[in-house]
Amino acid sequence: MDFAKNENIFIMDHPLIQHKITKLRDKATKTAEFREIVSEIARLMGYEALRDLKVADKTVETPMEETLSPEISERKQAVVPILRAGLGMTDGILSLIPSAKIGHVGMYRDPETHIPHAYYCKLPEAISERTIIVVDPMLATGGSAVDAINLIKEKGGKRIKFMCIIAAPEGLEKLAAEHPDVQIYVGHLDRELNDHAYILPGLGDAGDRIFGTK
Ligand code: PRP
Ligand code: URA
């Protein structure tokens, strides 16, 4: 698949995002800083992912005169982190759209088979009317993202965007093929997966590094 030709795939090339991803990759970066940078990257990527928010003109009095000026008219959004690691990106997006509701999808990958298992799904009401931003820092085989979005669609979700900080080509291809209607925002496209389905060069286990577990 030629990712550059897919109009629903957005691979970030902004120097601020790349600089922060380099800090995440560094194994010397400790938990508190790692967590803060994940949130900052989510905010920067969210700025791009929310570019198509609908606006409508509002009348406003400046100190000089009355004018028409745009304000966000689209009120219904949901941010849906894939647990656990997606939680690290949630505040960054919410800083841009604080009135968004929050859903949660719990998935874990079997360490042997790498097959994802869903253990939790709770979404805000009127999910079919919302723009839904699904967040997870890592898109490796793509299994977790594909299954999480399947669950969201089963519950009525329609307008879905997916944001990850690092993707492997294998996962990006799978997600784009199985959910061609979903806009996918990627901080950096890495080289490949290793035999344990970890991303290379990657940043290791995102959940463990965000929460300080092993
Ligand atoms: C990680 C990551 C993704 C998933 C990606 O979660 O946060 O959810 O793996 O892998 P995939 O694309 O091959 O499905 P993990 O299952 O390790 O759970 P955690 O967030 O609880 O650490
Ligand atoms: N999950 C992670 O946290 N890191 C990877 O490289 C792959 C899956």
Side-chain angles (χ1 to χ4, degrees), residues 152-185:
I152 294 167
K153 285 183 173 174
E154 278 164 25
K155 295 202 174 224
K158 290 191 173 70
R159 187 162 181 249
I160 302 174
K161 297 168 187 267
F162 176 82
M163 267 178 51
C164 64
I165 295 179
I166 295 194
E170 296 89 330
L172 185 54
E173 177 144 11
K174 181 178 167 85
L175 180 57
E178 301 218 12
H179 292 294
D181 55 309
V182 171
Q183 291 182 334
I184 308 169
Y185 294 83

Side-chain angles (χ1 to χ4, degrees), residues 112 114 193-198 200:
E112 301 298 325
H114 314 130
L193 295 177
N194 70 8
D195 292 343
H196 303 286
Y198 270 77
L200 298 176

Side-chain angles (χ1 to χ4, degrees), residues 36-191:
E36 192 178 319
I37 297 169
V38 166
S39 181
E40 286 170 2
I41 293 173
R43 186 165 64 242
L44 292 171
M45 290 183 69
Y47 180 78
E48 194 56 38
L50 295 168
R51 181 177 280 283
D52 59 359
L53 273 180
K54 293 184 184 59
V55 293
D57 275 344
K58 166 195 166 120
T59 305
V60 62
E61 289 257 358
T62 82
M64 312 305 289
E65 62 177 25
E66 189 177 286
T67 188
L68 287 174
S69 191
E71 70 173 1
I72 292 167
S73 57
E74 185 182 333
R75 296 269 170 228
K76 289 203 161 153
Q77 290 112 15
V79 180
V80 181
I82 301 179
L83 306 179
R84 288 176 301 164
L87 285 174
M89 297 175 73
T90 306
D91 281 356
I93 308 285
L94 287 174
S95 68
L96 302 171
I97 43 170
S99 58
K101 300 284 190 284
I102 307 167
H104 295 89
V105 177
M107 312 279 310
Y108 75 90
R109 273 194 343 173
D110 183 293
E112 301 298 325
T113 64
H114 314 130
I115 292 172
H117 296 272
Y119 61 86
Y120 188 75
C121 182
K122 179 119 182 155
L123 301 177
E125 55 163 24
I127 195 71
S128 61
E129 296 162 30
R130 296 180 188 275
T131 297
I132 302 163
I133 303 151
V134 181
V135 292
D136 191 330
M138 307 305 273
L139 182 67
T141 66
S144 303
V146 165
D147 285 8
I149 292 171
N150 279 335
L151 278 175
I152 294 167
K153 285 183 173 174
E154 278 164 25
K155 295 202 174 224
K158 290 191 173 70
R159 187 162 181 249
I160 302 174
K161 297 168 187 267
F162 176 82
M163 267 178 51
C164 64
I165 295 179
I166 295 194
E170 296 89 330
L172 185 54
E173 177 144 11
K174 181 178 167 85
L175 180 57
E178 301 218 12
H179 292 294
D181 55 309
V182 171
Q183 291 182 334
I184 308 169
Y185 294 83
V186 177
H188 195 272
L189 182 61
D190 271 16
R191 194 178 69 243

